[in-house]
Amino acid sequence: MTTSPKLISRATLLALPAVVAIAGLCLVPLGLVILWSFWSWDPQTYWMTPDFSLAAYGQILDAGRWTVLVGSTIKAALAALICLLIGYPAAYYIHFCARPRAAMVLMALFTIPFFTSYLIRAFSWRLVLGRRGPINEFLMASGLIGQPLDWLLFSNFAVMVGLVASYLPFVIFPLLLSMRKVEPSLLQASMDLGAGFGHTLRHVLLPLTKAGSFAGFLFVFVMALGSSTEVQMLGGAAASMISIMINDVMRVVNFPLAFAISSVVLVFLGAVLYLGNRFLGFSRLFEDFSW
């Protein structure tokens, strides 16, 4: 089936405003960020000079900044992995097991927390995980512990809880999109041929939904990598992430260093996206989809 050139030209005209908006609002600022990261910072004028320099990139290795970059990447990847492990069974149940009304209710439950401010969501976990929070109160009342657990709050554990709770829906919806492209008859045929549920899951469903799995992982990873509220509210004064480090650098108006850190993150995320599309077929998630 061939597409009429007239339809192609109309589609191009319809997409043109969006392309111009993306280029003007996203690509141009990102290009300037990369360009300015190679400028020099003048400590006397507290401003940038258009001299090509790699000094800002060299400063990333100073004062533990590289440690923050690596630590933030590990935390974001762990949060994305936990969200994927929780979200995959939830998406499977919503799509293949739940009735339409129950599926709508479950999807609403995942989105309702976003009706409130992200600051309120993070602070609520601070109350839940605190020394006098319901978790510690329950454990003490049941006799399992004699004194409150201090590591529940202001720790990496608390940060991980906040990240997973904040971004879990962003892994579920790409998985649902991916599972909608899987014919239920394929799963039934696999079971009719003698394969159990586990074998069908590993060899049929997981390969067919790997693009959605990667998309969900990537969405959570990107947002967790740039998170600051959950870290500041739940991690304590010593906790740090990339966004917090960039804010600290911006306070001393060392703009090239801030832009260099951002550029490194952009290149890294671009590489992750390329590899994911190369080996997991991320772009196929949006091909031949019937609404």
Side-chain angles (χ1 to χ4, degrees), residues 23-235:
L25 299 177
C26 300
L27 298 182
V28 172
L30 291 179
L32 290 175
V33 165
I34 296 175
L35 174 64
W36 289 335
S37 68
F38 293 101
W39 286 18
S40 299
W41 179 61
D42 188 352
Q44 296 181 349
T45 61
Y46 289 95
W47 196 245
M48 302 178 294
T49 57
D51 300 326
F52 180 82
S53 174
L54 295 176
Y57 288 92
Q59 293 176 22
I60 295 177
L61 302 176
D62 299 337
R65 296 189 181 99
W66 184 252
T67 304
V68 175
L69 284 172
V70 174
S72 300
T73 303
I74 294 174
K75 290 177 183 176
L78 182 58
L81 180 60
I82 294 174
C83 285
L84 186 60
L85 293 176
I86 298 174
Y88 200 97
Y92 178 89
Y93 180 81
I94 291 173
H95 180 63
F96 291 106
C97 303
R99 295 184 177 183
R101 181 173 296 181
M104 290 296 295
V105 171
L106 290 172
M107 292 173 67
L109 290 176
F110 282 114
T111 56
I112 282 176
F114 289 87
F115 295 170
T116 62
S117 167
Y118 63 91
L119 186 63
I120 297 299
R121 294 200 305 268
F123 187 77
S124 64
W125 279 110
R126 191 167 179 170
L127 298 178
V128 170
L129 299 174
R131 290 178 60 87
R132 295 190 175 182
I135 295 179
N136 270 318
E137 292 289 344
F138 171 77
L139 293 175
M140 292 181 66
S142 61
L144 295 176
I145 58 174
Q147 56 184 1
L149 299 175
D150 293 326
W151 57 265
L152 289 179
L153 186 60
F154 302 135
S155 62
N156 288 329
F157 170 81
V159 171
M160 201 57 55
V161 169
L163 293 175
V164 170
S166 295
Y167 304 123
L168 180 60
F170 292 96
V171 78
I172 292 178
F173 293 116
L175 284 170
L176 287 173
L177 178 64
S178 182
M179 289 180 182
R180 286 190 64 180
K181 300 178 68 174
V182 178
E183 290 291 338
S185 58
L186 293 175
L187 307 182
Q188 188 61 46
S190 174
M191 294 184 181
D192 290 343
L193 291 173
F197 175 78
H199 191 276
T200 301
L201 178 66
R202 290 193 305 272
H203 298 284
V204 180
L205 186 59
L206 285 176
L208 292 175
T209 57
K210 61 183 180 181
S213 300
F214 174 73
F217 179 91
L218 182 65
F219 291 160
V220 175
F221 178 74
V222 170
M223 288 182 289
L225 194 63
S227 174
S228 62
T229 302
E230 291 82 6
V231 179
Q232 290 176 319
M233 296 290 292
L234 303 173

Side-chain angles (χ1 to χ4, degrees), residues 6-27:
K6 208 176 272 190
L7 290 177
I8 294 176
S9 61
R10 288 179 180 176
T12 303
L13 289 175
L14 287 173
L16 186 59
V19 173
V20 172
I22 292 174
L25 299 177
C26 300
L27 298 182

